[in-house]
């Protein structure tokens, strides 16, 4: 089946869940935040056309439910490039949400902190990104139904959404920092030399997700907000080895705060 047919098939299955205008992707260790009311759900494996996640801690489930009377879609868990899928497959969910009528996408992730002043547990609004995957989900024939061959990425992370999010966070007494995210392929963590190089390039945070989804979302004309939870100091900055357990532990510690922020923000989108 060709890619467009696969995405349409997925969107048809998801349309049984509702007609949400906003979607949230919850990443590593964050997949339990943001409880919804009146949920209808499908696991990734039950959405025809969807790739199925393979990593522990990434549940892979799409829910549509209500948050303060607004219908929202919440994706719990995600697909990563390092699992072996093509980037075009990694972004099938995002493109299916676009066909479903989603206009705003909130993407969360866990990251290593590179910039001075970033510490484990910090919540950071993404202001921009650097794609170090060496690949792009839009490679290959352009799917004109979504957008143009050469989509603009100047304001990938919507400035107005960022301003609104800062305002909401301030009202809740939640501190939000801001930074540039660099995506690496993984699954190995970076070397200290790579982290020094990324710092020189202008990166504040490093992770293994988000960038493909943001590219596909912007191609399809969605507004994007990115929020990262810093789970560890990036390689070489603390003298400690990095571990997936530490990443999950830190996100769990910050889950309630992120949930409060998203609960207050989403009905305003
Ligand atoms: N590097 C890459 N991905 C990550 C990290 C990191 O330090 N922490 C959480 N995800």
């Amino acid at each position: 089946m060709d890619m467009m047919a696969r995405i349409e098939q997925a969107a048809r299955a998801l349309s049984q869940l509702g007609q949400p205008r906003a979607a949230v992707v919850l990443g590593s260790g964050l997949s339990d935040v943001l409880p919804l009311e009146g949920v209808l759900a499908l696991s990734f494996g039950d959405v025809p056309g969807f790739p199925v996640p393979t990593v522990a801690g990434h549940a892979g489930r799409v829910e549509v439910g209500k948050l303060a009377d607004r219908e929202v879609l919440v994706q719990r868990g995600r697909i990563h490039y390092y699992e072996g899928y093509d980037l075009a497959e990694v972004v099938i969910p995002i493109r299916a949400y676009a066909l479903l009528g989603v206009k705003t996408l909130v993407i969360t992730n866990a990251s290593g902190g590179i910039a001075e002043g970033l510490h484990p547990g910090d919540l950071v609004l993404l202001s921009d990104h650097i794609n170090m995957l060496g690949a792009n989900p839009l490679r290959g024939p352009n799917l004109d139904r979504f957008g143009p061959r050469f989509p603009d990425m100047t304001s990938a992370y919507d400035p107005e959404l960022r301003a609104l999010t800062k305002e909401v966070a301030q009202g809740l007494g939640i501190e939000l920092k801001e930074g540039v995210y660099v995506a690496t392929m993984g699954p190995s963590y970076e070397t200290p030399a790579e982290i020094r190089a990324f710092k020189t390039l202008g990166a504040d945070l490093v992770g293994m997700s988000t960038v493909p989804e943001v590219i596909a979302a912007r191609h399809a004309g969605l507004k994007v907000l990115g929020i990262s939870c810093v789970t560890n100091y990036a390689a070489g900055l603390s003298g400690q080895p990095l571990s997936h357990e530490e990443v999950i532990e830190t996100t769990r510690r910050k889950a309630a705060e992120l949930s409060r922020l998203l609960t207050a923000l989403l009905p305003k989108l």
Side-chain angles (χ1 to χ4, degrees):
M1 192 189 299
D2 80 357
M3 184 51 79
M4 196 63 223
R6 209 173 145 181
I7 298 163
E8 282 167 345
Q9 189 185 41
R12 253 195 315 277
L14 293 170
S15 69
Q16 298 163 19
L17 304 180
Q19 301 293 319
R21 289 291 171 269
V24 186
V25 173
L26 298 172
S28 299
L30 298 169
S31 54
D32 295 333
V33 314
L34 202 61
L36 303 176
E37 282 164 30
V39 169
L40 292 178
L42 283 171
S43 66
F44 271 37
D46 291 330
V47 183
F50 261 33
V52 182
T54 59
V55 189
H58 296 93
R61 181 181 155 85
V62 181
E63 296 183 359
V64 177
K66 292 220 163 148
L67 208 56
D69 272 345
R70 280 285 302 274
E71 196 174 42
V72 293
L73 182 152
V74 174
Q75 176 187 316
R76 302 188 186 278
R78 60 147 61 85
I79 308 286
H80 297 82
Y81 191 35
Y82 60 71
E83 292 175 64
Y85 294 101
D86 291 338
L87 281 188
E89 291 181 284
V90 169
V91 302
I92 286 172
I94 303 299
R95 287 176 144 176
Y97 306 154
L99 291 187
L100 197 61
V102 165
K103 304 291 180 213
T104 306
L105 179 69
V106 179
I107 298 209
T108 67
N109 62 46
S111 63
I114 298 176
E116 275 160 43
L118 288 187
H119 307 286
D122 283 351
L123 295 178
V124 183
L125 277 182
L126 304 193
S127 58
D128 206 342
H129 74 222
I130 298 172
N131 181 3
M132 282 295 204
L133 298 172
N136 190 297
L138 308 184
R139 179 171 175 268
N142 185 52
L143 300 185
D144 298 330
R145 177 130 172 236
F146 292 109
R149 171 76 293 187
F150 301 108
D152 175 55
M153 291 292 287
T154 306
S155 298
Y157 300 85
D158 192 78
E160 283 172 23
L161 277 183
R162 271 148 61 197
L164 173 67
T165 308
K166 282 184 208 168
E167 211 176 279
V168 170
Q170 201 164 31
L172 295 170
I174 294 173
E175 192 190 1
L176 270 186
K177 296 180 176 173
E178 204 162 37
V180 174
Y181 177 91
V182 59
T184 64
M185 191 189 304
S188 52
Y189 288 113
E190 303 69 39
T191 63
E194 286 167 342
I195 294 301
R196 287 193 298 274
F198 294 156
K199 185 170 187 173
T200 305
L201 291 177
D204 302 308
L205 306 152
V206 58
M208 303 173 193
S209 69
T210 301
V211 164
E213 290 132 299
V214 172
I215 292 171
R218 292 303 298 143
H219 181 236
L222 273 62
K223 285 189 179 176
V224 173
L225 179 77
I227 306 176
S228 187
C229 177
V230 177
T231 55
N232 54 278
Y233 292 107
L237 298 183
S238 75
Q240 299 295 317
L242 274 53
S243 78
H244 186 59
E245 289 65 37
E246 180 189 14
V247 170
I248 299 300
E249 212 292 301
T250 313
T251 45
R252 294 225 184 287
R253 180 157 64 78
K254 297 301 284 190
E257 199 168 294
L258 185 66
S259 199
R260 269 201 308 136
L261 177 61
L262 292 175
T263 301
L265 178 69
L266 279 157
K268 295 183 193 288
L269 300 182

